[in-house]
């Protein structure tokens, strides 16, 4: 049934029109929200691949590093690479590996953009927070329907306020149902993806700490070597 925009300035007609739009608007917004989560998932996977690839390049020259099987999660690969570097930093006897880490530190310096997390964290926060709007939107559609019925009675367009309220409330209850359903589905999707998103944040934190430690300790070791000469 096509939506007819009221031609007059009657408040009741406009309220009824807005109420009739609430259900399809909520449904469309929920579909777009799901697509947004899909985009965030792809964004997360891309950043994980970049981090894992960068650390793989950085640790490739080490004599002893983790042997990883194919198909293991990228976050596990990142943790293994970070641990390999931390092992080198903790063992002063591995002078060749420490020299190699210092030499290849420029790889991390050249690709520091993958550690920028503000945009991604803001996007995921918006996606999570806006789920709360769907139940409220559904209730708003129902309130608009009741308001249009009361306004119609005040304008003398209805003989019985109760009958009009019940009729329009029955139609508009679908907006509440749609809003609650959308919220439940999106909360489930968010619960599945939230762990992946948090692991990306944790991986970035571990890499930042590792890079800072490597620069600090390897840089000091290099200065001591030059002073000794």
């Amino acid at each position: 049934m096509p939506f007819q925009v009221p031609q007059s300035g009657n408040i009741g007609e406009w309220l009824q029109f807005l109420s009739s739009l609430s259900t399809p608007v909520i449904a469309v917004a929920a579909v777009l929200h799901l697509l947004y989560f899909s985009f965030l998932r792809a964004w997360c996977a891309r950043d994980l691949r970049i981090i894992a690839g960068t650390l793989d390049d950085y640790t490739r020259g080490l004599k002893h590093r983790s042997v990883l099987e194919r198909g293991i999660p990228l976050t596990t690969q990142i943790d293994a690479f970070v641990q390999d570097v931390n092992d080198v930093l903790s063992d002063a006897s591995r002078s060749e590996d420490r020299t190699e880490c210092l030499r290849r530190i420029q790889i991390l310096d050249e690709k520091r953009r993958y550690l920028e997390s503000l945009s991604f964290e803001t996007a995921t926060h918006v996606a999570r927070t806006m789920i709360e709007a769907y139940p409220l939107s559904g209730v708003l559609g129902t309130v608009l329907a009741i308001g249009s019925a009361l306004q119609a009675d005040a304008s003398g367009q209805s003989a019985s306020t109760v009958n009009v309220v019940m009729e329009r409330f029955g139609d508009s209850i679908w907006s509440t149902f749609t809003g609650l359903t959308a919220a439940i589905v999106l909360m489930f999707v968010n619960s599945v993806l939230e762990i992946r998103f948090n692991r990306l944040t944790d991986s970035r934190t571990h890499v930042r700490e590792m890079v800072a430690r490597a620069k600090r300790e390897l840089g000091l070791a290099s200065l001591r070597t030059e002073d000794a000469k």
Side-chain angles (χ1 to χ4, degrees), residues 52-65 81 84-85 97 100-101 103-104 107:
T54 302
L55 292 178
D56 182 38
D57 292 339
Y58 180 67
T59 59
R60 189 165 296 170
L62 301 182
K63 290 185 177 181
H64 304 286
R65 71 171 189 165
F81 292 141
D84 288 341
V85 177
D97 284 340
E100 180 66 15
C101 283
R103 186 182 67 84
R104 297 175 66 86
I107 293 177

Side-chain angles (χ1 to χ4, degrees), residues 3 18 20-32 134 137 178:
F3 300 102
L18 294 176
S20 65
L21 285 178
S22 60
T23 299
V25 167
I26 293 173
V28 171
V31 172
L32 294 177
Y134 289 93
S137 300
T178 305

Side-chain angles (χ1 to χ4, degrees), residues 26 131 133-139 173-187:
I26 293 173
I131 295 176
Y134 289 93
L136 299 177
S137 300
V139 173
I173 198 67
W174 286 105
S175 66
T176 302
F177 172 79
T178 305
L180 292 174
T181 302
I184 292 172
V185 172
L186 290 170
M187 288 176 64

Side-chain angles (χ1 to χ4, degrees), residues 1-215:
M1 178 180 173
F3 300 102
Q4 295 181 354
V5 179
Q7 301 299 322
S8 64
N10 185 279
I11 297 179
E13 293 181 0
W14 278 101
L15 290 176
Q16 185 178 0
F17 172 70
L18 294 176
S19 175
S20 65
L21 285 178
S22 60
T23 299
V25 167
I26 293 173
V28 171
V31 172
L32 294 177
H33 207 142
L34 287 173
L35 293 176
Y36 186 56
F37 269 121
S38 178
F39 167 74
L40 290 177
R41 184 179 183 277
W43 187 353
C44 175
R46 185 204 65 176
D47 283 1
L48 286 174
R49 286 194 299 269
I50 293 175
I51 295 174
T54 302
L55 292 178
D56 182 38
D57 292 339
Y58 180 67
T59 59
R60 189 165 296 170
L62 301 182
K63 290 185 177 181
H64 304 286
R65 71 171 189 165
S66 301
V67 179
L68 305 175
E69 299 179 356
R70 292 185 177 181
I72 66 173
L74 291 173
T75 51
T76 303
Q77 296 181 33
I78 294 171
D79 290 341
F81 292 141
V82 170
Q83 187 58 46
D84 288 341
V85 177
N86 286 330
D87 289 342
V88 172
L89 298 177
S90 300
D91 189 353
S93 64
R94 299 174 62 177
S95 58
E96 293 184 8
D97 284 340
R98 292 169 69 90
T99 301
E100 180 66 15
C101 283
L102 181 60
R103 186 182 67 84
R104 297 175 66 86
I105 198 71
Q106 60 182 347
I107 293 177
L108 298 178
D109 286 338
E110 292 173 355
K111 301 181 179 181
R112 282 181 296 181
R113 287 180 297 176
Y114 65 85
L115 294 177
E116 195 280 322
S117 60
L118 179 60
S119 298
F120 180 79
E121 292 176 359
T122 301
T124 55
H125 177 73
V126 171
R128 287 192 293 264
T129 303
M130 290 307 297
I131 295 176
E132 302 174 4
Y134 289 93
L136 299 177
S137 300
V139 173
L140 179 61
T142 302
V143 171
L144 288 173
I146 297 176
S148 67
L150 295 175
Q151 187 66 33
D153 180 71
S155 303
Q157 298 177 6
S158 174
S160 175
T161 302
V162 176
N163 291 337
V164 176
V165 169
M166 293 304 297
E167 178 183 356
R168 296 186 182 176
F169 181 81
D171 294 336
S172 67
I173 198 67
W174 286 105
S175 66
T176 302
F177 172 79
T178 305
L180 292 174
T181 302
I184 292 172
V185 172
L186 290 170
M187 288 176 64
F188 173 76
V189 173
N190 177 68
S191 66
V192 172
L193 296 178
E194 187 172 16
I195 297 178
R196 183 185 297 267
F197 297 160
N198 289 340
R199 287 297 300 274
L200 172 59
T201 301
D202 292 341
S203 295
R204 283 194 174 111
T205 300
H206 295 159
V207 173
R208 289 193 189 99
E209 293 174 350
M210 182 270 291
V211 171
R213 182 185 177 190
K215 288 183 176 180

